[in-house]
Amino acid sequence: MKFQSNHLLKRENLFILISSSWISLWFSSLVFTVLRLGDYDIETPTHHPIQTNSRDNYYSSRSGPTPQKQIVGDDHDNAAIAIEIPGVELQIPPPNLNQPKIQIILPDYDHATLTTSSTISQPKTSYKPKNKGWILLLHACTHSALKFFSPSPNCPDCVGLSEELRIVRLVMEMGYIPIAISCADETRRCWAPPRDIPRIEYALNHPLLLSGLSFHGDDGGDAGRDFDGDGGGGKNEKRGGGGERPERIFSIGASSGGALAAELVTKQISQAAIVMVMSLSDPVVKQMRKSPKPTYFAPMPRDKGTLQRVQRNVEALRRHGDENGGKGTAKSCYILDNESCDSLPLTPNYLVQRVPQMTREAAMTLTTKLKEVGHIDPGSNMLIVDPTKSNWRNIISPSNSTHWLDQFALKPGYSP
C-alpha cells in the first residue's frame, strides 16, 4: 500500500513539545549515550566500571575517541531535522482471554527513512536494520505504544510524539529494533507489573511478533543474523535466525514505564534498562541486588523528591556490591545520571529538530509570539510559564482553536 504523505499533515498534538520543554527531558541524547552500553559484553560489565553523573564523565571512562557532545537546540545536534517514523500495529491475543489484546507497534520499514528528508512518501527505503537486538519502549502513565510512531496505513491511530520519535530514530540508527508495547490498563494507562510482565513475556515469544520481525535482517532476510552488528552473524546468529527471540534485549521506560523496565531486568526478560524520571520500590531494589544488570537511572534535577529517592536507590545497590567485595558487578553497573534530564531552551532550532513538518519560519513565529507575552525568557529562551496551565494555544492561534497554520493540531490531553 502506498504511503500517503498528506496523512501526516493533519497529525495530532504536535505541540505537546512545548510541554515537554517545560518538564525538560533530554531523552533522545540520553538514549544515544546509554545504548553504547550495548557495545560492551553485557555479561561482564565489571570490565567497564561506569559510575558517573553525566555523559561527559561516561565518555571519558571509555577508551578511544570521545564523541562530540550534543548541543540540543543547536545546529550541532545529530538529528538536525525531525522526521516521521511510521509504525505497524500488531494486536497479539493475550494469554488470559479476559484481558485486552497486547498492543505492539513496530517500525514500518517499507516507509521509514532515517535521512533528514522532509518526506517519507517513497515506497521503499535503503535503510536495513543491523538487528543488534531489541529495545523495548515502555510508555509513561496516560500514554501508549502509539506515541512512539507516526501515523501510517498500518497504524492509523499512531500519534508520534516528538521526543519519542527521536528515541525511536536513535535506536534504529544504532542498529537495534524498537518495539513499543502498551500496558493492559486501558483507563489510567499505567503499568502493573504482576499483570503486564507475563503479557510482555508472552508477546516476545509469540509467532505474530516473531514473524513481523523476520524480515528485519541485515540483508533483508531472517531476523537476528547480525545481533552483534559486525556484519558477520557472530555468536548470536543461531539464536536469532528465522525470527527467533534474540539474546540481547534492553528496556527503556519513563515514569511508570521506567519502573517496569527495571522489573523486566529482575525477571531476566531484559539484560539492561534505562529508568527515566522514576524511583524504585524497596522490593524491586532487593530483587535487583540478587542479579545485577546494567541499569541507568536518569531523574529530573528539578524533581527534588524523585531525585533524592533515586539517589537512595543507587546508593543501596552500590552498597550491596561493596558489602560483597564487588561480587556480581553490583557497584559498576548502576549508573546515576542527574544532569541529562535538565531544562532545555525553547528555540526555533529545538522545534525544527523535534517537530516533523516544522519549518524554521513557523518556529520563529511561534517562539516570537511566546516571548512577546512573557511565556519565554528572551535571554535564556527558557519557558517561564507552565504551558500545561496557560493559554498558549490561544496566543499562537487566536482564530483557530483546533489547528495552527491549518496543519498542526492543538488538541490538548496528550501532554505528559
Side-chain angles (χ1 to χ4, degrees), residues 27 30 34 138 251-265 272-281 284 288 294-300 306 310 313-314 317 334-337 341:
F27 285 171
L30 174 64
V34 178
L138 309 170
S251 51
I252 299 175
S255 190
S256 171
L260 187 74
E263 294 214 37
L264 292 179
V265 168
I274 302 177
V275 180
M276 296 185 284
V277 297
M278 188 63 175
S279 61
L280 304 179
S281 66
V284 172
M288 293 178 71
T295 307
Y296 196 106
F297 295 87
M300 285 191 295
T306 300
V310 171
N313 288 158
V314 175
L317 292 165
Y334 298 118
I335 305 164
L336 174 59
D337 179 349
C341 293

Side-chain angles (χ1 to χ4, degrees), residues 202-346:
Y202 179 80
L204 296 183
N205 293 304
H206 197 278
L208 185 59
L209 174 63
L210 299 177
S211 63
L213 295 173
S214 64
F215 59 89
H216 289 174
D218 202 35
D219 58 357
D222 290 338
R225 288 188 179 180
D226 186 20
F227 283 113
D228 296 322
D230 58 4
K235 66 181 179 179
N236 293 325
E237 181 175 358
K238 64 181 180 180
R239 288 292 302 276
E244 295 182 10
R245 178 170 166 172
E247 289 181 352
R248 182 171 290 176
I249 299 177
F250 301 153
S251 51
I252 299 175
S255 190
S256 171
L260 187 74
E263 294 214 37
L264 292 179
V265 168
T266 69
K267 303 298 183 183
Q268 310 301 317
I269 296 174
S270 173
Q271 286 72 56
I274 302 177
V275 180
M276 296 185 284
V277 297
M278 188 63 175
S279 61
L280 304 179
S281 66
D282 290 340
V284 172
V285 170
K286 183 177 180 180
Q287 287 296 316
M288 293 178 71
R289 292 166 66 168
K290 293 180 180 180
S291 180
K293 293 288 191 301
T295 307
Y296 196 106
F297 295 87
M300 285 191 295
R302 294 178 62 174
D303 184 353
K304 301 299 183 183
T306 300
L307 174 61
Q308 292 175 359
R309 291 190 294 272
V310 171
Q311 289 173 332
R312 290 196 293 268
N313 288 158
V314 175
E315 289 170 2
L317 292 165
R318 290 177 176 172
R319 185 170 60 248
H320 178 71
D322 291 338
E323 293 169 353
N324 290 273
K327 292 182 179 180
T329 71
K331 189 171 183 178
S332 62
C333 67
Y334 298 118
I335 305 164
L336 174 59
D337 179 349
N338 56 15
E339 295 181 0
S340 289
C341 293
D342 206 351
S343 302
L344 299 177
L346 184 59

Side-chain angles (χ1 to χ4, degrees), residues 11 13-14 16-17 20 23 25 27-28 31 83-85 137-150 159-172 178 180 252-254 276 353-354 356 414-416:
R11 48 175 303 163
N13 312 301
L14 288 174
I16 56 87
L17 227 319
S20 294
I23 59 176
L25 307 183
F27 285 171
S28 52
V31 171
I83 60 172
E84 306 279 8
I85 302 180
L137 302 177
L138 309 170
H139 60 82
C141 286
T142 76
H143 292 278
S144 71
L146 297 169
K147 304 303 176 70
F148 287 93
F149 293 91
S150 306
V159 176
L161 300 187
S162 301
E163 200 70 14
E164 280 80 347
L165 284 174
R166 284 170 61 88
I167 290 175
V168 169
R169 178 179 182 173
L170 287 169
V171 166
M172 294 170 66
I252 299 175
M276 296 185 284
Q353 291 166 6
R354 281 166 169 76
Y414 280 68
S415 180

